[in-house]
Amino acid sequence: MADTFPIKALLPKSGGHQFVLYGDSCSGVAGALHERTFASVNAVLRRLEPQPQFILFPGDEIIGLTTDEASLRAQWRHWFDVEMAWLDRASIPMWHTTGNHTTYDEMSEAVFRDVLGLPANGPAGQEGLAYWVRRGDLLMVFVHTLWSGLGGEGHVETEWLEATLNDHADARYKLVLGHHPVFPVNGYAGTYQREIGHEYAKRFWDILVEAGVLAYCCSHILAFDVQVHRGVLQICTAGAGTAHRMPEGVEYLHCIQAALDEEGLCYQVLDTEGIVRESLQWPPVLAREDRWLSLPHGVGDALWTGPMGADRIIELRLSGRMASDARTPPQTIFSAFGDEGLAPLWLGLRGRRQQLTLILGRDPGRSPYYFFGPDLPPGEDFDLHILLHGGMGPGGVLWRCDGSAAWSSLEAIASAGLERLVWPSCWSVGHGQKGKRDRPFMGESLRLSIAG
């Protein structure tokens, strides 16, 4: 049968690391729904050839959330002794983070420490809850985003995290793992409950950026999502078995198989049929200089049409000078449109802040998605590099100052990205699809080039 066929794992170059990342099964109860869904994900993981060198599980293994310590321990026993009995943890180690279903009070934190027996090298009071692991040139730091000593869910310390990363500055690769996202996923936002507390977020991310961390891996929001902020990835995986989705009809049960080497990180996201639903290589491979084309102002035929697709990367370079005073009406930099209907893709400036905005059309009759970037101040020059990545979902609209290495995803309340976009037949530069008076750019010296 097809579902028994081996799945070819992505392999790193010599000296790299090959691993699986998945989270949120909320299981541990015999015969319950999540036992079956978790088993369907594990069945795919077990088909990987070769098997991973290690597994990372960023929280919520069991349903938990009980005041009965005996019941909580029984769930952990069932999860390890029955549901994960197939895994030889001596040859394939598995490292965990705390989660809101597993460490929701002091009793559950004590049970977590006792049952999992994780390294006791964390900050005072969080031994066995927050910790670090070093595998050669790879450092993995596991933070506790629910510490009762700070206030519970959404509260996380940062001093130990910074010190640990500094102590291991020689590590070639650095991953930080925690249960709660730092940035909203699919529009599901809310301090403490859906992300770490907002008073911690900036300092937390500053530490990751300053230490050269590759990615922050989390779960909690029942989705797969990737985005990047100031050059650091946030990878959210919460599809290991919890049957609910955020949102339903878009997200799916999954595990991530990844390889890390001198070329960066590559991964494939596998659903319960073993089908690769999403994939990424990071850093992205950018266009050579000889592939760039300058676009004239006005309306013209598109240089290409057809589906964007998950593997497609389109790059834009835009430069110019803003008008001397703030202009509130929309100003077009670039749009792509057909013979009828609103432009499926519009890039320009909106509002008094003159915020860089991309508007992405959806199905007919549905409101579009909005992606928000930096504000462009009046009277100042700008020189930006835009990346449209079909394989990154809503995180796949990125920007950076031209010449900078640090990409950031535009902010969005969206559950999908460019993967469904079909490039239409016409493009316009400097104004909208209806001609020169349609949302014109009001500054000077607008230049736009494209590669893809």
Side-chain angles (χ1 to χ4, degrees), residues 250-298:
V250 174
E251 299 297 342
Y252 53 97
L253 296 174
H254 68 270
C255 62
I256 304 171
Q257 188 269 317
L260 179 61
D261 61 24
E262 62 192 35
E263 294 185 356
L265 176 72
C266 60
Y267 64 66
Q268 53 184 344
V269 186
L270 303 165
D271 68 14
T272 53
E273 301 299 320
I275 296 171
V276 178
R277 296 281 290 270
E278 300 176 67
S279 61
L280 181 68
Q281 177 180 332
W282 190 265
V285 177
L286 301 178
R288 302 189 311 266
E289 287 300 321
D290 61 359
R291 298 296 302 273
W292 285 90
L293 296 171
S294 296
L295 296 183
H297 286 219

Side-chain angles (χ1 to χ4, degrees), residues 21-26 56-62 95-103 112 142-143 145-146 153 176-186 188 190 192-196 204 215-227 233-242 244-246 251 254-256:
L21 172 69
Y22 69 152
D24 278 78
S25 52
C26 286
L56 304 175
F57 204 104
D60 283 359
E61 295 82 355
I62 60 173
W95 289 293
H96 308 251
T97 76
T98 53
N100 59 298
H101 282 260
T102 58
T103 53
F112 186 95
F142 300 79
V143 298
T145 60
L146 311 93
E153 185 165 5
V176 175
L177 297 97
H179 187 63
H180 291 74
V182 177
F183 299 95
V185 172
N186 287 359
Y188 292 92
Y192 305 117
Q193 187 169 354
R194 286 175 169 162
E195 305 128 48
I196 68 169
F204 187 93
Y216 174 66
C217 304
C218 58
S219 55
H220 192 51
I221 302 301
L222 301 172
F224 171 77
D225 180 75
V226 62
Q227 50 191 282
L233 294 168
Q234 177 180 276
I235 301 173
C236 178
T237 172
T242 307
H244 319 294
R245 305 267 60 83
M246 298 171 76
E251 299 297 342
H254 68 270
C255 62
I256 304 171

Side-chain angles (χ1 to χ4, degrees), residues 312-345:
R312 190 74 179 269
I313 295 177
I314 305 288
E315 298 176 63
L316 297 166
R317 286 176 176 164
L318 43 128
S319 63
R321 185 173 181 82
M322 297 295 293
S324 58
D325 56 335
R327 308 293 180 94
T328 57
Q331 302 179 53
T332 303
I333 293 175
F334 173 78
S335 70
F337 57 93
D339 295 331
E340 298 181 358
L342 299 176
L345 186 143

Side-chain angles (χ1 to χ4, degrees), residues 6-18:
I7 298 172
K8 185 177 180 181
L10 301 173
L11 297 178
K13 292 186 175 181
S14 177
H17 306 270
Q18 194 261 103

Side-chain angles (χ1 to χ4, degrees), residues 365-404:
R366 299 292 304 277
S367 297
Y369 284 135
Y370 287 77
F371 299 79
F372 300 108
D375 301 339
L376 301 185
E380 293 191 7
D381 294 333
F382 61 90
D383 191 357
L384 302 177
H385 191 175
I386 306 297
L387 187 70
L388 307 179
H389 198 308
M392 293 182 67
V397 183
L398 305 104
W399 76 279
R400 66 180 183 179
C401 293
D402 202 19
S404 168

